[in-house]
Amino acid sequence: HFVTRPCALELSRPLSSMLRRHHRTIPLAIFFCVGSVVSGADATDWDSISTHLLRHWADSLPPLPQVPLDSSAWQPVESRGAFQVVRANISSASFCSSAGSSGGSWPANGTLAGPTVRCEDESPCSGTFVSGETCKATGTLNSREGVVALYQKHGTFWARQSAQPAWVQLKFPLPKQTGRVTFRLEMDERYPPLTRGGNPCQAAIYDPSHICKLCTPELHGGVWDHEAKAGVHVLWTTPSLGRHIITGPVDVLSKHVAGELTFSVDSPSELDLSQAPEVVVTVIAFNQYPFTGELVDGLNGYSASDPLKCAVDWTKNATAGDVTSAGNTLLIAKGAEIYTRSQWEPTAVPAAERPRIFGVDATWMRTHNDPFYKADCAYDEGVSPGWGGDAGVPDFKSAFERATLGHATCFESFTPQGIFEHPHVASTYADPGFKSFSTATTQNAALRVLHFIRRLRACHKEARADCAYSEAEISALAKAVVEREFQLLDPDARVRSSDVWGWEQDSDGSCGYDLFTAVPMKHFAILVDVLHADALAVDAQRLQQLEDKMEEYIDKFLVQFDSGDWSLWNGNNWTPVLSAAAVYWAVAFWHERPAKARRVVHAIVDISMLHKEMSKEDGVYVEGLCQYSYMSIRSSLELSVVYAAGFGESFPAVNLTLMQETARWHLDSFDMAGYTIDFGDSHACRGSDVQTLYAAMAPTIAAPPGGPVPEVAVDVCLLRMWSTVAYYLSVGDPFTFWPALASLPSGAAAGALDGACGADPVMPLGGARIHVYPEGGYGLLRLPLPNITEASGAPALADVKRYAMLAVQGRPNEFPHSEVDYATLSWTSHGVGLLSEHGYGTIATAVGPWDMRRYAQIDNNAAGHNTVVIKEAFQSGSEDINFSQLHHRAGTIAMLTGIPSCIHLDGSDVYGASQPNGWFSYMHRWVCVVGMADFLIVDTFAAMPNRTSLQLYGALYGGPNFDEGEAHPTLEAEEYFHTSTWLNGADLTTMDEASRRFNRSIAGKWCNHVDVELDTAAPGDSSVLLWPRCGLEEWTGGSVVGRISSWSAKGGRFELDGVVSAADRWGSPTLHKHRFRYTSEKVGVTGDVRAFLLNSWNVEESAPQASVGPAKCPPHLAGDCTGIVASVGGEQLHFALSLGQGGRSPKVAVCSGACEAADAVWRGAGEPGQCTAIPAEMAESVQRKGYRLVGC
C-alpha cells in the first residue's frame, strides 16, 4: 500500500494506530513512502505559518531547489546597472511536475505549481470540476489561458473544504552583486482571492479565542487550523540554501477588493543575494476559508444532524459584503516579476539645517547665484535675437538679474523702496488677487519670490553689503507669503479648482501622483524648506496639514513604484518629471522623515534607470523633440542637481555626456523655417528652448558642489545655431536657470561667434550637413543655397533663409510616441515650409505588439504622412484608417557607402516583406542632393509574390481590425504629399468657402500656407508647383516657389485632394493640410521605380529648367538596372539602381555631370575602383559649398 505521508513522522506513532487510521479493515500491511519527504536538510520554519504543515501536509510543501537553472538566455540590460527587471514566463508553468525542480533552463523551467491533490476518505473530492484533475493548480481558468490558478478546494457544489496548501514557485536569474530584490505579482482582475484565514467570523473579531463554526474538514474527520492567518505567505530561497525564508502573510483579498491588483514583497534582509545565481520565490496559500459567516442549523441547507453534507458552495454561509466564491480559487496569478535593487549608499546626506535644497545657503549663493552676478557685462537683455527679430546672443546675466534682483545691474539703477513695492512682490503676494497655482506664469512668479526671500536672508547671513532690505522687512514678506499660501491650501482637495491648489489631474485616465502633483510638490517643498520657521509661527496646525498632504502624495508615489504603475515604470517622460518633484520632498524632509525619504530617493535612483533607455547612443530622444525631449532634459537635470547638492555625488541614472549629443540632435531637428520638425508625437514648435543649451553643458550643470567641475567647451557653432532660432528667452523659475549659462559668450556682436560655423560668412550655419542618426532613426540634408553673396552678421533668424533642408524619418514605430510614419519627409527652403505633415495630432498609443489604437486616426498611420500609401490597406469603408505600414515593424536608415550625398531608408519589413501576407517584398527610399541645394527622392517597391490575405486584430485594445478579404496580387501604391494651410487649427464647420480663402491680412503675425497647383508647363500632370503665401518675418508674404517633378517606370501623374483634416490631441478635427498624391498603375511582383525632383527658387528669379527621367546605367551595373537623371539648371545627378535578386540588397551608384562618357566617375556600391582625384583648383570651390571630399 502506498501513502503520501512523511515516513519519519508517521512511523514514530504506534503501528496499530497507523493501521487503524489508514486501513481499518486490514490487519497488517507494509507501507512504502512515496512523494515528497521532508528530510532533516529542510530547515524551513514551517511552524511560523502553521504547526499543521509538517504534521499533516509535509508531502504537499514546495521543493527546495538544489541546482540553479541554466539562465544563459537572460541578459541584463547594461544601461540599468544593478536595477534589472526579470519577468517570469508563467504561461509555460509546470503543474505538479518535477520539471525544473532540479536543474533545467530558464524561462522554460522557471515556474512550478502544485501540489498533487490529496483526496482521502475524510475530505472527499466531488463534482465535475475535478474530473481528470490531479493538481491543486491549473494554467487555464474560465477560458483564460497563461495564468497560474491555485484551487481552494477540489470540486464544486458538494466538494468539501480542504486545508491542503497550494503554491506557485518562480525562479529568477540575478545579475552579479545583487543587493535587494522586490517580488511583484499581478492578480487576475475577475476573481478575488478566497483567503480569509482559518477563523473568519464576526465573533472572532471581538473575541480572538472564539472558534468559528464553519464548514471545515473537521465536520467529517479532517484537520483544520483555526489559527491560520488570512492571506498568502511568500517564501524566499536560493539554490543550496537549505531552507525557505518566510515573509508575510500578505492580505491579498483586501488588496484585490480595494482595486490593487498587484502586490509586492521585498526580499528579507537575512537573504544574501550578492553571490546567488538565482532567487526562488514561492507564494503559498494554506488553510484559507472563503466566507465570514458561521453555520446556523436549518439555514442555507445546513443541518447539524447531517454535517457530512456541509460544503461551502452549497450552504453559502456568507456574511453581507462577502465576495462571491466564483472561480473557486485561493489566488490567480496573471504575471510575476522581480526587480533587483541597487545597493544605494550615498557619499553624503543633506544638511540638517534649512534651507537645504540645492545645498546650504553659502553653497547655494556661491554655485547658483554668484556666477551670474559676477559675470562681465555684455549688453541689454532687452535685445531679443532669433524670433524676437534682433541679432546676437541673449544676455543671460541680465535675464537672471531681472528675474531675481528686479533689475539688470549693468544697465539699470535700483533704489530700494518698501519690500512690498518691489516689482516681484507687488505683482504677486502684495496683490490681494494673486493665486500662485493659477497658471505656469503665476507658479514661476511665486518661485521668484521664494528665491528672493532665500537670497536676501543668505545675504544677511553672510553679512554682505548689498542686501537691500532689512531682516524685519524680509520676515514681514515671509509671513505674508505663508499666510497667502495657507489660504490657497485645501487639505481635502484633489483636483485643481479656481480657489485652491490641486494635486492630481482628471484626464488621461491618470490619478494619484501624476504630472499635476509634480507642480505643488516642488512648490511646497521649496516653501517648507525656505519658510519652515515662518510657517510654524503663523499656524503650526496648518503647516502640519500641508506636510500631511505632501506626505499623502509621497505615499502614492511609493505605492506606484511598488506596484509597477505605468506612470513610473513606463520609463518615459513622466518618470523624471515625477521623480524630480519627489526628490525635492525627500531632501526637504530628509531628517524629519528619514526612513521614508530614504525609500523615496532609493526608488528614484533605481526607476530612473528605465528612463535612460529613452535616449539612444546617437543622442536621439525616442519620444520626440518638442515637447518630450525638453521635458526629459528639464526634469532630469533638475533631479540631478538637487541630488548632487544633497548627496555629494553625481546622480547615477542620467547620462550627462550623452545629453551633449542630444543637444546636437536638437539643432539638427530644426527646419530651415525656424521650427522643430514634428515627426511622431512631436510639435512644430517655433524657436529653440534653453533646454538645448542645458543639454550641451549637462556635465557642468549637474556636477556635485565642492568637487571637480568638468570643463565643457560648448561648441560655438551650436550656440550660434541656437541663437539663430531663439524664441524669447524666459528665466521662468530662477532656481533652475542654471549658472553655466553665465559662462557663454553673449552680446549683440558676440564676437566669439564670428566664423563659428566655418570661415565663410555667407554660410552662418556652416556648409552642407548630411547626417544620419541610425539608432534614433532620423536623417537630414541641410544645404547652403547658391547665389548668396552678402555676408551674415550676428546670429539672426534670417540666417535660415540661406539654406534648404530635407529631413527624413526612419525610426522604429515601436518607439514610444511613434506614429506609423516610416520614410516621411519635411522640406524647407528660403525660410519657409514646403512639405510638412499633421504633427502631434492624437496621441500615438501603442503599448504592445497587438495594440493598434493609433491606426484609427489618419495623423498616426501612413495615410497622414509623406510616404508610400497602399490603397488596398484602407479599412473597408474608411478613408482614414490605413494599414500600409505594419505595427511594430522597423526599417533602417543609413548613409550610402561611398556616396556622402545620399541617405538610404530600407522599409521592406515595415511594409511586410518578412511575412507571407505582407504588402511588399521590398521597399526602399533614397534621398540625395542634386546640384547645390535641391533634392532627389527615389522609391522602389514590389508586391509580395504569392501573397496571402492580411488580417489584423486590433480590437483587443480598442483599436481597429483589418480584413483584406481576398488577397490582392497587385497593389495600388501612391505617394502622399502634404503641405500647410492657414486653416490649421480652425473649425471648418463654421466657415464658408469665401472665409476659407487665404487672406494674409488676417492670417496673423506668422503664418504657414502653401497653395498647390499642377504645373501646366510639364506634360501629363507630372509636376506640381508649391506657392508659399507667408514669409519668414512678421506679416510678410511668400517669396519662394517650390516644384516637385516626377517620373515612374510605369508612368504616373499627380492628383490634388485639397484640404484634408485630422483630429487634434483632444479629438477635435482641427488639424488641416493640403494634400496631393502621385498615382500610377498597380504594382505587381516586378515592382516599380519612381523618382521625384524637389527644387526651389526665389520668386523674383527665373524658374530654373528642371527635369527627372530615365537614363543609362554604368557598365558595372549593367543588367537589371534602372538609371535616372535629375537636372536643375546646369547641374545633373545620375542615379543608377540595381535591385538584384529579391530586391532586399540593392546596389546604387551616382555620378554628377557628363556621366555617359567612358571616363565618367561613379560613386557607390558596385564601383569597380575607377576613381579620379579632385583637382586642387576644384577642391577649394567644392569645400566652400560645404561638401565633404570622398577619396578613392
Side-chain angles (χ1 to χ4, degrees):
H1 296 271
F2 291 85
V3 296
T4 53
R5 297 288 182 124
C7 301
L9 293 177
E10 292 290 356
L11 293 179
S12 66
R13 302 173 184 169
L15 181 59
S16 59
S17 172
M18 278 183 60
L19 295 177
R20 285 196 302 272
R21 178 166 185 176
H22 291 292
H23 295 278
R24 294 185 178 89
T25 60
I26 300 176
L28 184 62
I30 299 174
F31 289 81
F32 297 91
C33 296
V34 299
S36 175
V37 178
V38 178
S39 68
D42 184 351
T44 303
D45 183 14
W46 294 110
D47 285 357
S48 65
I49 299 177
S50 170
T51 57
H52 283 218
L53 281 172
L54 284 179
R55 187 180 307 166
H56 301 294
W57 302 104
D59 61 326
S60 297
L61 297 175
L64 267 174
Q66 301 297 314
V67 180
L69 298 179
D70 175 4
S71 58
S72 57
W74 177 75
Q75 294 295 325
V77 180
E78 185 177 355
S79 63
R80 297 180 184 176
F83 182 68
Q84 300 289 328
V85 180
V86 188
R87 189 162 183 83
N89 183 15
I90 64 172
S91 62
S92 65
S94 299
F95 296 92
C96 292
S97 167
S98 61
S101 61
S102 180
S105 62
W106 185 92
N109 303 121
T111 305
L112 308 177
T116 300
V117 170
R118 195 172 84 194
C119 296
E120 302 176 77
D121 293 342
E122 298 94 332
S123 178
C125 303
S126 65
T128 57
F129 183 83
V130 293
S131 177
E133 292 283 345
T134 60
C135 193
K136 198 83 182 328
T138 182
T140 303
L141 190 72
N142 290 0
S143 75
R144 178 171 286 179
E145 299 179 349
V147 299
V148 173
L150 307 181
Y151 293 139
Q152 60 105 358
K153 63 186 185 112
H154 321 311
T156 57
F157 302 113
W158 288 107
R160 297 167 187 170
Q161 191 69 13
S162 171
Q164 185 180 13
W167 46 263
V168 56
Q169 186 172 90
L170 306 114
K171 301 179 179 182
F172 300 95
L174 295 175
K176 295 179 180 179
Q177 296 299 316
T178 296
R180 202 180 82 205
V181 163
T182 297
F183 169 73
R184 190 155 57 204
L185 186 139
E186 180 186 3
M187 297 181 281
D188 189 297
E189 77 282 358
R190 300 171 299 172
Y191 306 121
L194 302 180
T195 52
R196 296 184 183 274
N199 204 45
C201 64
Q202 296 295 317
I205 296 175
Y206 303 104
D207 179 8
S209 66
H210 175 81
I211 302 299
C212 303
K213 190 172 185 180
L214 307 172
C215 188
T216 67
E218 293 173 307
L219 296 177
H220 36 83
V223 293
W224 187 260
D225 185 358
H226 285 273
E227 296 182 359
K229 302 297 183 183
V232 300
H233 286 80
V234 180
L235 318 179
W236 302 81
T237 190
T238 58
S240 73
L241 179 64
R243 65 184 176 117
H244 295 282
I245 301 175
I246 299 170
T247 57
V250 180
D251 187 356
V252 288
L253 174 58
S254 294
K255 288 182 177 294
H256 196 287
V257 171
E260 299 175 21
L261 299 180
T262 300
F263 71 87
S264 59
V265 182
D266 292 337
S267 59
S269 58
E270 59 192 289
L271 182 66
D272 181 10
L273 299 173
S274 60
Q275 303 299 321
E278 73 180 20
V279 64
V280 184
V281 184
T282 305
V283 180
I284 184 170
F286 169 68
N287 202 100
Q288 300 293 308
Y289 198 76
F291 300 123
T292 60
E294 295 193 79
L295 296 174
V296 178
D297 190 22
L299 182 65
N300 292 333
Y302 171 68
S303 173
S305 62
D306 189 10
L308 291 179
K309 288 190 68 175
C310 183
V312 290
D313 276 340
W314 187 256
T315 57
K316 297 286 186 186
N317 59 312
T319 303
D322 281 2
V323 297
T324 176
S325 64
N328 188 38
T329 52
L330 292 163
L331 181 70
I332 307 174
K334 281 180 62 179
E337 65 187 12
I338 63 164
Y339 54 92
T340 61
R341 303 299 303 276
S342 63
Q343 300 186 34
W344 183 64
E345 291 296 337
T347 303
V349 297
E353 65 179 278
R354 281 175 164 153
R356 63 177 74 120
I357 298 175
F358 301 112
V360 297
D361 280 339
T363 300
W364 178 66
M365 288 290 281
R366 174 176 52 83
T367 60
H368 283 255
N369 297 280
D370 288 346
F372 285 113
Y373 298 148
K374 294 180 179 181
D376 294 336
C377 292
Y379 77 117
D380 191 348
E381 178 267 346
V383 175
S384 183
W387 284 92
D390 298 316
V393 178
D395 183 349
F396 302 112
K397 170 185 172 67
S398 294
F400 181 79
E401 288 182 340
R402 285 198 173 95
T404 56
L405 305 176
H407 68 289
T409 58
C410 294
F411 309 102
E412 300 160 357
S413 61
F414 176 70
T415 303
Q417 299 177 354
I419 198 168
F420 287 92
E421 282 72 47
H422 188 280
H424 292 340
V425 180
S427 60
T428 56
Y429 292 98
D431 178 0
F434 175 73
K435 297 176 180 179
S436 54
F437 61 82
S438 296
T439 65
T441 299
T442 59
Q443 293 159 12
N444 283 329
L447 290 173
R448 281 197 292 272
V449 174
L450 292 174
H451 186 284
F452 183 62
I453 294 172
R454 180 175 184 180
R455 182 185 58 79
L456 290 174
R457 283 180 165 168
C459 181
H460 281 286
K461 188 183 297 185
E462 296 186 351
R464 295 192 180 191
D466 53 351
C467 299
Y469 298 101
S470 69
E471 294 184 73
E473 289 178 292
I474 300 167
S475 295
L477 174 57
K479 181 173 181 290
V481 170
V482 169
E483 290 174 341
R484 178 67 58 82
E485 291 297 341
F486 281 174
Q487 292 172 8
L488 301 176
L489 172 70
D490 179 357
D492 298 321
R494 187 173 74 86
V495 298
R496 189 186 306 172
S497 71
S498 59
D499 300 312
V500 295
W501 275 94
W503 291 81
E504 60 186 85
Q505 66 189 52
D506 268 343
S507 61
D508 282 351
S510 177
C511 58
Y513 186 107
D514 57 30
L515 294 179
F516 277 34
T517 313
V519 177
M521 187 64 70
K522 172 184 174 178
H523 173 87
F524 284 115
I526 292 178
L527 184 143
V528 169
D529 190 51
V530 174
L531 302 180
H532 186 269
D534 305 275
L536 195 64
V538 169
D539 191 334
Q541 182 179 0
R542 195 66 165 168
L543 175 61
Q544 188 61 54
Q545 290 176 332
L546 169 60
E547 294 183 356
D548 290 346
K549 189 69 175 181
M550 298 173 73
E551 192 165 3
E552 172 192 342
Y553 276 87
I554 285 296
D555 288 340
K556 293 183 179 184
F557 176 90
L558 290 171
V559 167
Q560 288 164 217
F561 175 80
D562 291 339
S563 66
D565 189 81
W566 70 266
S567 59
L568 287 170
W569 286 82
N570 270 10
N572 67 357
N573 59 89
W574 280 55
T575 302
V577 173
L578 271 55
S579 298
V583 82
Y584 276 105
W585 180 90
V587 173
F589 290 92
W590 183 263
H591 297 283
E592 294 73 23
R593 308 282 195 280
K596 187 170 292 185
R598 184 180 179 86
R599 277 189 65 200
V600 168
V601 179
H602 194 181
I604 291 170
V605 168
D606 283 349
I607 200 66
S608 296
M609 291 292 180
L610 300 182
H611 186 65
K612 289 177 71 175
E613 295 166 34
M614 293 293 107
S615 296
K616 295 301 180 182
E617 288 301 313
D618 53 16
V620 172
Y621 182 79
V622 300
E623 294 185 290
L625 172 50
C626 185
Q627 61 196 6
Y628 295 125
S629 183
Y630 288 155
M631 288 174 63
S632 170
I633 292 169
R634 180 182 298 111
S635 51
S636 295
L637 284 179
E638 197 166 1
L639 168 57
S640 298
V641 172
V642 174
Y643 178 93
F647 301 103
E649 61 188 20
S650 296
F651 185 62
V654 171
N655 189 334
L656 300 172
T657 302
L658 184 59
M659 273 194 187
Q660 296 175 286
E661 298 300 317
T662 299
R664 170 58 61 188
W665 167 69
H666 276 198
L667 292 175
D668 276 345
S669 297
F670 271 87
D671 64 25
M672 290 300 97
Y675 291 82
T676 55
I677 293 169
D678 54 357
F679 293 157
D681 273 356
S682 193
H683 299 283
C685 295
R686 181 184 294 119
S688 57
D689 189 285
V690 72
Q691 303 305 323
T692 303
L693 295 183
Y694 292 157
M697 296 182 286
T700 297
I701 291 171
V709 178
E711 291 291 335
V712 176
V714 175
D715 181 359
V716 288
C717 184
L718 183 145
L719 178 59
R720 178 172 189 119
M721 294 181 67
W722 181 88
S723 300
T724 295
V725 291
Y727 188 77
Y728 298 107
L729 176 72
S730 174
V731 172
D733 167 19
F735 284 106
T736 58
F737 194 73
W738 305 123
L741 292 175
S743 65
L744 295 178
S746 60
L753 300 186
D754 291 345
C757 300
D760 195 332
V762 304
M763 295 186 289
L765 305 182
R769 179 164 173 79
I770 303 170
H771 190 74
V772 162
Y773 293 84
E775 293 186 39
Y778 174 71
L780 73 149
L781 303 92
R782 186 174 66 226
L783 309 170
L785 293 166
N787 304 323
I788 297 177
T789 58
E790 183 182 354
S792 62
L797 183 61
D799 290 347
V800 300
K801 298 173 68 174
R802 298 167 177 258
Y803 291 83
M805 177 172 167
L806 188 69
V808 287
Q809 169 80 306
R811 70 179 179 177
N813 64 47
E814 67 183 41
F815 281 180
H817 283 288
S818 286
E819 297 172 349
V820 191
D821 60 353
Y822 183 81
T824 193
L825 306 162
S826 168
W827 180 28
T828 50
S829 184
H830 295 79
V832 296
L834 294 169
L835 287 180
S836 57
E837 57 171 55
H838 290 291
Y840 194 121
T842 55
I843 191 168
T845 303
V847 298
W850 305 108
D851 182 2
M852 300 184 190
R853 284 174 285 173
R854 57 184 170 174
Y855 281 88
Q857 302 292 340
I858 194 171
D859 73 282
N860 288 328
N861 65 58
H865 298 90
N866 303 318
T867 190
V868 179
V869 178
I870 300 166
K871 294 192 72 172
E872 289 80 3
F874 280 101
Q875 189 186 61
S876 178
S878 173
E879 296 181 356
D880 293 339
I881 302 174
N882 184 272
F883 289 89
S884 297
Q885 298 184 5
L886 301 184
H887 184 61
H888 275 218
R889 299 292 189 274
T892 61
I893 182 171
M895 299 291 296
L896 275 181
T897 303
I899 306 177
S901 58
C902 289
I903 294 173
H904 175 219
L905 297 101
D906 183 350
S908 301
D909 286 342
V910 179
Y911 285 86
S914 59
Q915 57 194 66
N917 58 357
W919 300 111
F920 290 157
S921 59
Y922 61 85
M923 183 275 176
H924 301 274
R925 168 167 280 184
W926 292 269
V927 290
C928 299
V929 176
V930 179
M932 303 310 299
D934 298 313
F935 306 100
L936 176 68
I937 302 169
V938 177
D939 291 342
T940 184
F941 39 79
M944 175 75 71
N946 304 312
R947 59 179 305 273
T948 57
S949 178
L950 179 65
Q951 284 87 35
L952 299 169
Y953 305 99
L956 179 65
Y957 286 86
N961 296 327
F962 177 76
D963 186 348
E964 182 185 358
E966 185 177 349
H968 294 80
T970 59
L971 301 170
E972 192 169 353
E974 298 185 326
E975 314 269 347
Y976 276 34
F977 298 92
H978 299 78
T979 192
S980 299
T981 169
W982 76 307
L983 300 173
N984 193 45
D987 180 1
L988 299 188
T989 62
T990 64
M991 303 175 70
D992 58 21
E993 284 298 322
S995 60
R996 294 185 186 187
R997 295 192 191 98
F998 178 76
N999 185 334
R1000 184 64 187 92
S1001 64
I1002 61 173
K1005 180 191 295 186
W1006 294 295
C1007 64
N1008 290 288
H1009 180 90
V1010 179
D1011 286 332
V1012 184
E1013 64 181 44
L1014 294 172
D1015 184 359
T1016 57
D1021 297 335
S1022 62
S1023 178
V1024 294
L1025 294 174
L1026 307 177
W1027 297 92
R1029 302 291 299 277
C1030 305
L1032 174 66
E1033 292 83 3
E1034 302 174 10
W1035 302 110
T1036 57
S1039 60
V1040 183
V1041 185
R1043 177 172 53 197
I1044 303 179
S1045 306
S1046 65
W1047 172 83
S1048 168
K1050 290 183 173 294
R1053 67 187 185 281
F1054 281 110
E1055 294 184 358
L1056 309 185
D1057 291 333
V1059 174
V1060 295
S1061 300
D1064 62 17
R1065 175 66 178 84
W1066 310 111
S1068 299
T1070 60
L1071 301 184
H1072 313 294
K1073 288 289 177 182
H1074 287 137
R1075 186 177 73 193
F1076 54 103
R1077 293 171 291 113
Y1078 184 80
T1079 183
S1080 181
E1081 65 180 71
K1082 289 192 174 184
V1083 176
V1085 297
T1086 58
D1088 193 10
V1089 179
R1090 299 174 183 175
F1092 303 91
L1093 173 61
L1094 283 57
N1095 74 294
S1096 61
W1097 63 95
N1098 193 297
V1099 71
E1100 298 177 354
E1101 301 171 356
S1102 299
Q1105 293 294 318
S1107 65
V1108 59
K1112 292 182 179 180
C1113 287
H1116 66 278
L1117 288 183
D1120 180 21
C1121 176
T1122 300
I1124 300 167
V1125 59
S1127 303
V1128 181
E1131 304 281 354
Q1132 283 191 346
L1133 176 73
H1134 287 248
F1135 183 98
L1137 166 63
S1138 177
L1139 288 169
Q1141 187 68 32
R1144 293 303 301 267
S1145 301
K1147 294 181 178 180
V1148 170
V1150 300
C1151 172
S1152 299
C1155 298
E1156 296 185 2
D1159 60 348
V1161 177
W1162 288 81
R1163 298 274 194 273
E1167 180 183 343
Q1170 54 201 48
C1171 176
T1172 57
I1174 297 177
E1177 62 271 16
M1178 292 178 59
E1180 182 180 354
S1181 173
V1182 172
Q1183 288 176 318
R1184 180 180 181 278
K1185 293 302 183 184
Y1187 290 102
R1188 291 184 294 159
L1189 302 182
V1190 180
C1192 297

